[in-house]
Amino acid sequence: MIFSLQGIVQELTPTYAVINVQGVGYYVGISLMTSQTLTTNKETFLFIQQIIREDAHLLFGFNTRSEKEMFNLLISVNGVGAVSALILLSTLSLDEIASAILSKNSALIQKAKGIGAKTAERIIVDLKDKVQKYSNPEENISTFANNKIKEESLSALEVLGIPKRMSEKLADKIMKQDSDISVEELVKQILKNI
């Protein structure tokens, strides 16, 4: 069983890469997320999931162990094949997939080409207890009040021209240290740390 590959990226497209390992080219299916981290003619390391079928031996590569784990969870769902799982991983981030499953948002999962309503529902039912660790841990432990404070602060910062992605991580970090922080204080703290 091939666990990982380290070699030169010989060929690269949004859906597959050929990794040259000491003269042997391995054809590896990849997601858009992984594709964006690779560069042709540069060395890379990929976590590999090998799938052996009667008619083919397939390799799928992932930049992170988390992406490989999510891929394996997705293909464990009846009706979700390797290609559908890669399309879902190319359409949504790991956090978005986990959040969609935890909040039972089948419409978001259906944004991935080829995943219909029934399959989306099956993904939610089968994986709701298994994806907790991939979603934003801050949101899992915080109370509704904390989420409201965080959202109001991020909205205020957006008005000031600070992108949400930039301020969100800081907000999480600050709120872990002080869970009773006010909106005003959180905004001040984030502005100081940017």
Side-chain angles (χ1 to χ4, degrees):
M1 185 64 86
I2 297 173
F3 178 78
S4 63
L5 287 177
Q6 185 166 352
I8 304 295
V9 181
Q10 188 177 316
E11 219 175 290
L12 179 63
T13 74
T15 56
Y16 76 87
V18 176
I19 310 298
N20 187 324
V21 182
Q22 297 178 344
V24 179
Y26 291 89
Y27 180 100
V28 182
I30 54 175
S31 71
L32 204 52
M33 192 179 354
T34 293
S35 169
Q36 290 168 345
T37 66
L38 304 178
T39 310
T40 311
N41 298 324
K42 291 267 193 285
E43 182 148 331
T44 190
F45 174 90
L46 291 177
F47 291 98
I48 298 295
Q49 181 58 50
Q50 186 174 16
I51 296 178
I52 299 172
R53 298 195 315 224
E54 276 181 34
D55 59 340
H57 286 223
L58 306 170
L59 298 179
F60 297 94
F62 309 94
N63 185 41
T64 64
R65 195 183 288 263
S66 297
E67 190 187 12
K68 177 182 174 179
E69 288 168 0
M70 181 64 85
F71 173 82
N72 283 323
L73 284 175
L74 289 168
I75 62 172
S76 73
V77 176
N78 193 5
V80 179
V83 173
S84 297
L86 279 185
I87 291 170
L88 189 51
L89 287 166
S90 295
T91 308
L92 303 170
S93 70
L94 296 183
D95 184 34
E96 287 170 330
I97 294 169
S99 298
I101 291 168
L102 292 169
S103 62
K104 299 182 172 74
N105 185 348
S106 78
L108 187 57
I109 296 170
Q110 288 175 61
K111 280 189 176 177
K113 191 171 181 275
I115 294 186
K118 278 186 180 164
T119 306
E121 288 300 328
R122 212 174 296 125
I123 289 171
I124 290 167
V125 170
D126 289 6
L127 302 183
K128 67 178 184 291
D129 299 328
K130 299 175 183 171
V131 296
Q132 200 78 30
K133 74 177 199 176
Y134 302 101
S135 73
N136 186 335
E138 215 295 309
E139 283 172 23
N140 296 338
I141 55 170
S142 70
T143 61
F144 177 74
N146 273 357
N147 275 343
K148 199 166 186 290
I149 288 168
K150 181 178 155 187
E151 284 309 311
E152 282 180 29
S153 303
L154 295 180
S155 295
L157 288 161
E158 271 187 304
V159 171
L160 297 172
I162 294 156
K164 189 173 181 178
R165 276 187 178 272
M166 187 192 260
S167 51
E168 196 158 15
K169 282 183 182 162
L170 278 171
D172 292 344
K173 195 173 154 191
I174 294 162
M175 288 180 84
K176 261 186 194 153
Q177 292 164 352
D178 181 5
S179 56
D180 299 325
I181 197 164
S182 69
V183 173
E184 294 78 14
E185 191 54 38
L186 183 57
V187 170
K188 277 186 203 165
Q189 289 288 331
I190 291 170
L191 287 171
K192 271 186 204 167
N193 287 293
I194 284 179

